[in-house]
């Protein structure tokens, strides 16, 4: 090595999270936990490529600004042009393409989960991720999809969110509504149909900007009458537990007779009814939830920290009418919900709430007493591995003190001493209690100590 | 939906593999298996972002042509310029940056595994992946790294490769050498030092192009004498099992007295000696293995299908002298080995050798007999989930025949019938044996039937 070598000091790239091994281990536990619950409800996994053709990614036209496109560093200008490739910014667009492409090989209703990275080509700025994980479930039907699935989504997500390592003491709440209710009410208002999306987007902001600001926009910008605004704001103020929701809504729709509104109420009641087994406060019907995105057509979900609702939703989704009409001449209604995995994980990490443990997955460190006992130490390690333990063999016959310090530093809970000579016995030391005792590699369990 | 809507038929993007759910399930089993074995040897996991700054990715200057760079679709030309970002093409470059960046927070020797996608910006062409998984382990030391780890790498990988689902009957062999042996021999040849890498790269091709072609290049292009060529080709013809290697090599180095060569032989003997517990034929010392890459300095590994050596190596690596000298003024020797995961998985998939099973992870499908029994069916499903079973609840009270057909199609092995009325009993049907029997949700196990 030249002494004068230029050293390039590596630095963190803003928006691309990266963890130390001990934190990554908790992140793996999160993925394992989420996968286990998803699969326990029969969701299968798929993974799609990181890229789609650019026409697929931009088909909905909303998010052009945030898309990363791939360029080959030294592309040959003479070579055949193929479609440009872009990194996907969510998992719904790739799902639509996947379902259309593999339609004949899938079984419907198609229940799938997906836990992949997605990318947003944002400018680097504090708190905005440019690469992050999402954990999604969706169910896709052909021509129809039973409401059963609308009720299953929050049950799955509640089970996950309430027991993720580090989340056990967080006070979270899932808030559910059905857009048909508000859309039905809007039908009864004196308002052009093409303004309905604007009203929904405005009402969606109520928690952020407050009721009076919403009232002002509906009145000044959308020209709604005071009576119509009152009835909307009255309806969206409805919040109730699964058991109360029926009577609460009834009070607010006296005199209204709109079939879409009634359909929405019936659907919401069905969903809430299926969730009555959850702990009190876990889910509420909350008619202020509309979700800004245009494509939701029925049930909608949000999930908040009750003590910090301004943080925004950590798990959201809803029912949509047609997943993949761009790609296939089939009517494919669906319902889906997504955990903003990296955003949630990073929050808990920053708050010091993750149960961050050892730097190593090893249960046992095998001492290497001396060169003569190397084969025996290796064989003992193999025996213990076969029995299901994670065993790191120490790498050189160094002083015992040094070997023990290494186990300590990596947080390995047990240290195994193979016999130091032909006369000796195996012993195990518990690094927590400092107790040390004879042990048999074929039989030892951590409970012994 | 408009009837005249333009339908864009989605197609596969060449080089970006994607699987159906039933194949993806096997891929997950592969990842689980690899992770389990890596962790059983005490390797911790890290994940790095998909991107690095372009200076980091291109630091070694070799692979410019294959790098994908990110561009924001609608970047604002006035905004602050930040460093360009590129997708990583391997996991070693990110590891070097990671170790340098987090040096003070890691414990050394640092044993890490990494299983991520990497990207190569190749032209689309048959059989070349542009996005694929690698499964790597590396151990990084500070100022030195015991040979123990050189011996641990092939033990770990043999354990994995010989028991991946679908690989059990494949005849594979790990081939190990030490570059110091050949480098020591070259010191004794009449040859400029700066031609050594060319000789190594030429010898590396011996399995592909044959001995006589290698001889021609060494003679015609590198001006080596017949005597020198003979001694090189004699040495690289050495192949032996762990127990025979000592005597085999001795015969080929009679009269040579070079300290680097002797060091290489001693290291190789140590490594082979640690692997003598593996089945016969699992590993061989093979001095024709040199690996083309310049940065290997000692032990080198390749793994081949014995019946199809021309397919190339499925698991390779070696010892290197300094991981991260571009980024940090520390001497960080390492040893690593990598499975070309996607390439191997795709091969077995194409050969129909993967144990592809059901389309669903569910163990049990819960029949929904009628609307009245919905709550009981849901509760039964929850009980079984709490007991560790994956249970998909059927989504609508449709005809039994239809519900059973769905379970059949998804490959769900058991169908659970909750009582159809207040008098009834729970029953379970095994879809394989068609046996049906009463069952208690609190106690039932698949073994009962």
């Amino acid at each position: 090595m030249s002494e004068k070598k230029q050293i390039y000091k590596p630095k963190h790239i803003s928006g691309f999270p990266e963890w130390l091994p001990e934190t990554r281990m908790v992140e793996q536990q999160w993925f394992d936990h989420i996968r286990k619950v998803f699969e326990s409800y029969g969701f299968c996994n798929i993974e799609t490529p990181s890229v789609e053709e650019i026409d697929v990614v931009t088909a909905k036209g909303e998010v052009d600004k945030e898309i990363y496109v791939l360029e080959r560093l030294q592309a040959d200008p003479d070579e055949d042009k193929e479609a440009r490739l872009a990194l996907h910014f969510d998992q719904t667009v790739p799902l639509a393409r996947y379902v259309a492409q593999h339609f004949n090989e899938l079984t419907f209703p198609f229940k799938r989960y997906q836990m992949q990275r997605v990318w947003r080509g944002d400018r680097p700025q504090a708190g905005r991720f440019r690469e992050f994980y999402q954990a999604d479930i969706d169910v896709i039907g052909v021509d129809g999809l039973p409401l059963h699935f609308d009720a299953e989504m929050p049950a799955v997500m509640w089970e996950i969110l309430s027991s993720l390592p580090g989340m056990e003491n967080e006070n979270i709440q899932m808030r559910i509504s059905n857009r048909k209710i508000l859309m039905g009410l809007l039908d009864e208002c004196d308002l052009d149909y093409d303004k309905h999306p604007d009203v929904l987007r405005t009402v969606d902001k109520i928690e952020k900007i407050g009721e009076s600001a919403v009232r002002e926009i509906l009145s000044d910008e959308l020209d709604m009458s005071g009576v119509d605004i009152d009835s909307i704001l009255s309806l969206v103020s409805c919040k109730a537990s699964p058991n109360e929701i029926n009577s609460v809504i009834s009070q607010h729709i006296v005199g209204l007779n709109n079939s879409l509104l009634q359909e929405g109420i019936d659907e919401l009641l069905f969903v809430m009814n299926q969730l009555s087994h959850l702990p009190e406060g876990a889910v509420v019907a909350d008619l202020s939830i509309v979700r800004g995105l245009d494509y939701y057509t029925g049930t909608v979900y949000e999930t908040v920290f009750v003590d910090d609702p301004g943080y925004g939703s950590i798990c959201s989704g809803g029912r949509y009418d047609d997943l993949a009409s761009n790609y296939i001449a089939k009517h494919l209604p669906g319902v889906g919900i997504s955990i903003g995995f990296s955003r949630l994980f990073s929050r808990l990490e920053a708050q010091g709430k993750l149960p961050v443990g050892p730097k190593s997955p090893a249960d046992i460190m095998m001492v290497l007493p001396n060169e003569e006992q190397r084969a025996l130490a290796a064989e003992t390690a193999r025996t213990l591995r076969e029995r299901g333990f994670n065993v790191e063999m120490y790498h050189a016959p160094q002083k015992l003190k040094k070997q023990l310090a290494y186990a300590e530093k990596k947080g390995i809970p047990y240290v195994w001493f193979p016999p130091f000579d032909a006369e000796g016995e195996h012993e195990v030391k518990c690094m927590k209690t400092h107790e040390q005792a004879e042990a048999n590699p074929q039989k030892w369990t951590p409970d012994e100590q």
Side-chain angles (χ1 to χ4, degrees), chain A:
Chain A
M1 276 199 304
S2 152
E3 291 292 320
K4 293 192 178 173
K5 196 162 189 174
Q6 180 77 34
I7 301 282
Y8 167 89
K9 199 172 165 12
K11 54 185 183 296
H12 175 68
I13 305 175
S14 160
F16 290 80
E18 173 172 273
W19 307 114
L20 289 171
E22 55 269 34
T23 307
R24 168 65 186 160
M25 217 181 291
V26 183
E27 193 180 44
Q28 285 181 301
Q29 289 165 16
W30 277 39
F31 282 118
D32 291 344
H33 173 67
I34 296 173
R35 171 181 169 187
K36 184 166 166 286
V37 177
F38 284 166
E39 293 185 353
S40 81
Y41 283 81
F43 288 84
C44 69
N45 185 234
I46 67 165
E47 259 195 9
T48 64
S50 302
V51 304
E52 300 287 342
E53 292 191 354
I54 199 161
D55 290 343
V56 173
V57 176
T58 57
K60 291 193 179 164
E62 303 170 52
V63 286
D64 284 11
K65 187 132 180 57
E66 299 186 347
I67 293 174
Y68 277 125
V69 179
L70 302 192
E71 303 285 354
R72 290 171 50 208
L73 189 56
Q74 297 188 356
D76 177 353
D78 294 334
E79 74 188 19
D80 292 344
K81 286 289 173 212
E82 61 158 349
R84 290 173 80 194
L85 303 176
L87 295 173
H88 54 229
F89 61 86
D90 74 0
Q91 299 184 124
T92 307
V93 167
L95 173 65
R97 195 266 312 145
Y98 184 97
V99 168
Q101 187 176 327
H102 304 290
F103 183 81
N104 292 323
E105 293 150 301
L106 303 177
T107 304
F108 294 88
F110 179 53
K111 301 179 76 170
R112 84 87 177 79
Y113 73 95
Q114 214 166 333
M115 301 199 285
Q116 293 187 235
R117 285 171 165 177
V118 302
W119 292 267
R120 306 270 165 100
D122 267 323
R123 299 171 66 150
Q125 79 196 72
R128 282 289 262 295
F129 289 112
R130 297 193 281 171
E131 170 174 79
F132 53 98
Y133 277 105
Q134 287 185 181
D136 292 9
I137 42 175
D138 285 82
V139 185
I140 311 300
V142 179
D143 292 328
L145 186 72
L147 265 185
H148 162 77
F149 295 112
D150 298 57
E152 192 170 67
M153 300 279 125
V156 174
M157 288 305 194
W158 172 260
E159 191 172 331
I160 287 170
L161 292 170
S162 59
S163 52
L164 278 170
M167 280 285 287
E168 300 87 346
N169 298 319
E170 296 298 301
N171 190 2
I172 56 167
Q173 187 171 61
M174 304 197 74
R175 298 176 176 177
I176 306 178
S177 186
N178 191 301
R179 278 171 81 143
K180 288 178 184 171
I181 301 173
L182 199 53
M183 283 153 68
L185 181 62
L186 290 179
D187 282 347
E188 303 295 315
C189 290
D190 179 22
L191 184 75
D192 285 350
Y193 183 75
D194 58 10
K195 286 185 177 168
H196 287 193
D198 294 329
V199 176
L200 294 178
R201 270 191 291 268
T202 306
V203 171
D204 189 40
K205 295 181 194 157
I206 200 163
E207 188 138 38
K208 256 190 203 155
I209 65 176
E211 188 179 309
S212 61
V214 167
R215 186 179 286 274
E216 212 176 293
I217 297 173
L218 295 182
S219 159
D220 297 358
E221 295 181 21
L222 298 169
D223 286 328
M224 292 186 73
S225 73
V227 175
D228 284 348
I229 294 175
D230 283 345
S231 66
I232 288 174
L233 291 179
S234 156
L235 192 70
V236 303
S237 72
C238 288
K239 289 182 178 54
S241 70
N243 298 325
E244 305 156 346
I245 183 65
N246 200 357
S247 64
V248 169
I249 295 185
S250 307
Q251 292 162 26
H252 287 79
I253 55 161
V254 177
L256 282 173
N257 185 13
N258 175 286
S259 63
L260 188 61
L261 181 145
Q262 194 53 52
E263 203 177 300
I265 291 174
D266 292 343
E267 290 183 6
L268 181 58
L269 291 178
F270 176 89
V271 168
M272 294 307 288
N273 191 36
Q274 303 308 309
L275 299 171
S276 51
H277 65 283
L278 293 178
E280 204 181 319
V283 289
V284 292
D286 181 340
L287 298 199
S288 72
I289 305 302
V290 293
R291 304 298 301 151
L293 295 168
D294 288 347
Y295 60 86
Y296 292 126
T297 52
T299 311
V300 282
Y301 319 99
E302 282 187 10
T303 313
V304 294
F305 289 105
V306 175
D307 313 319
D308 186 10
Y311 184 71
S313 179
I314 56 171
C315 178
S316 327
R319 157 80 67 148
Y320 40 88
D321 230 22
D322 204 352
L323 175 75
S325 56
N326 296 327
Y327 311 122
I328 190 169
K330 300 268 181 193
H331 177 221
L332 302 175
V335 61
I337 189 166
S338 172
I339 301 174
F341 184 102
S342 297
R343 186 162 169 270
L344 182 60
F345 186 81
S346 299
R347 178 186 161 99
L348 268 78
E349 198 273 340
Q351 293 176 331
K353 287 176 176 169
L354 295 178
V356 175
K359 290 170 182 291
S360 163
D363 306 307
I364 301 168
M365 191 195 80
M366 180 64 54
V367 164
L368 180 57
N370 48 55
E371 206 50 61
E372 293 68 41
Q373 296 300 87
R374 185 185 284 273
L376 178 63
E379 191 195 318
T380 308
R382 284 197 293 275
T383 301
L384 288 162
R385 277 188 209 111
E386 273 164 25
R387 294 186 52 221
F389 296 107
N390 294 340
V391 186
E392 173 164 352
M393 185 164 150
Y394 196 75
H395 42 272
Q398 294 165 335
K399 282 184 182 156
L400 258 188
K401 202 174 161 186
K402 196 167 176 188
Q403 299 194 37
L404 283 164
Y406 178 83
E408 183 82 46
K409 213 169 167 191
K410 285 211 166 170
I412 303 174
Y414 294 96
V415 172
W416 193 285
F417 300 85
F420 280 47
D421 52 44
E423 313 281 279
E425 298 286 345
H426 290 277
E427 292 191 6
V428 180
K429 178 180 178 125
C430 171
M431 297 297 279
K432 195 172 157 194
T433 64
H434 300 288
E435 280 175 54
Q436 188 166 334
E438 278 188 22
N440 179 338
Q442 303 281 1
K443 293 181 185 164
W444 177 84
T445 63
D447 300 332
E448 276 183 38
Q449 301 202 320

